[in-house]
């Protein structure tokens, strides 16, 4: 099954790219000092939908074009994330952020005071933002940050597009603060590592949620709660149980309006079919195939968009064909189970 393309082992590996041919990824990623030439190559790789590790002032980030579904799916594959956490979208500055999210007075104050810097703002996503749905894990919000590191800034400006960049480590491992840490953790899964020396802050950015009326600290970091309160007044701390801000932790999240049933082996005429692989079931009212070739990276890239489409198709219910429980299939199935679980 070509979805096994996700399995990135040590040694020379085949990585199923989407769309187009398969690419050989070298066994050990190249570490390059962040020269003008290396930055130009990094920008070319990102434009081609590939992954580049970049230094930021917090930790090294695994960067990809935030508008490219397949590139964002590749991030989840490289990190071996068992589910789709929303990713932080990096922008050069306020103008870039304003195109992607709705920035209110609070956001404007925090940006003026702390950007560029180790502060991430979760804000409502603009409906027409040119961003992958996967980057927000299907939420209507987006996490935005403008990093202060000169290499990250240079790459953002060269690329001229927002970059999705979670920490450049395998899921559940310690965040990397040197180029060597990235190479140890991600080996063949990253196309180029830009070496900008050790990260000066060394812990992940502060994340503050500005989507509700009350501001909320979701993750502590170098910008402190006291500093946030000095700008905003009251700031709540911790996850808001009433809102799906961290979808990975909720049993039911981004559920479609139509009922969803999993592991379908037959489909009714009034159902919409979320198919996978070369032999989709027949007889559905409408069908969207996540990946006719069985490529799990392609399937992850299409998941949220197709779920939304089928939800609006007029069908009574949605039936999803089985997805293999391996590689990105774990994250896809995690998401489908949440979408199917009773609310
Ligand atoms: P990392 O990408 O590893 O630095 O982690 C990103 C952090 O930001 C995680 O804790 C996410 O849950 C959080 N995050 C990113 N996007 C959103 C969002 N749209 N809503 C809430 N939290 C978010
Ligand atoms: Mg992380």
């Amino acid at each position: 099954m070509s979805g096994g393309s996700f399995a990135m082992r040590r040694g020379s590996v085949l990585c199923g790219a989407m769309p187009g041919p398969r690419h050989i990824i070298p066994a050990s990623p190249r570490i390059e000092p962040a020269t003008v030439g290396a930055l130009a190559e990094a920008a070319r790789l990102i434009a081609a939908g590939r992954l580049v590790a970049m230094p930021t002032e917090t930790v090294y980030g695994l960067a990809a074009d935030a508008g490219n579904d397949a590139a964002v799916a590749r991030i989840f594959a490289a990190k071996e994330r068992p589910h789709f956490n929303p990713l932080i979208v990096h922008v050069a500055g306020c103008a870039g952020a304003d195109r992607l999210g709705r920035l209110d007075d609070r956001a404007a104050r925090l940006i003026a005071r702390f950007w560029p810097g180790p502060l991430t703002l979760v804000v409502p996503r603009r409906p027409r933002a040119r961003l992958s749905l996967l980057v927000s894990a299907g939420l209507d919000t987006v996490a935005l940050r403008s990093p202060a590191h000169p290499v990250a800034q240079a790459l953002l400006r060269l690329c001229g597009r927002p970059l999705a960049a979670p920490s450049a480590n395998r899921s559940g491992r310690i965040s990397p603060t040197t180029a060597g840490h990235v190479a140890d953790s991600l080996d063949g899964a990253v196309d180029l590592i830009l070496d900008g020396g050790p990260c000066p802050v060394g812990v992940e950015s502060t994340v503050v949620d500005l989507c509700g009326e009350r501001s909320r600290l979701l993750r502590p970091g170098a910008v402190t709660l006291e500093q946030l309160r000095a700008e905003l007044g009251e700031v709540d701390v911790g996850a808001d149980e009433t809102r799906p801000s961290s979808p990975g932790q909720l049993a039911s999240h981004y559920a479609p309006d139509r009922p969803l049933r999993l592991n379908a082996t037959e489909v009714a005429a009034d159902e919409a079919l979320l198919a996978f692989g070369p032999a989709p079931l027949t007889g559905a009212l409408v069908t969207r195939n996540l990946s006719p070739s069985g490529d799990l990276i392609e399937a992850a890239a299409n998941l949220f968009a197709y779920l939304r489409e089928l939800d609006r198709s007029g069908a009574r219910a949605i039936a999803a064909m089985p997805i293999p429980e391996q590689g990105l299939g774990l994250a896809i199935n995690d998401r489908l189970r949440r979408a199917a679980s009773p609310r």
Side-chain angles (χ1 to χ4, degrees), residues 79 81 166-167 169 175 204 219:
K79 286 182 66 78
R81 273 205 172 166
S167 52
N169 53 290
S175 292
E204 295 86 347
R219 179 171 78 182

Side-chain angles (χ1 to χ4, degrees), residues 162-174:
L163 299 179
S167 52
N169 53 290
R170 265 182 228 280
S171 190
R173 304 288 173 79
I174 300 169

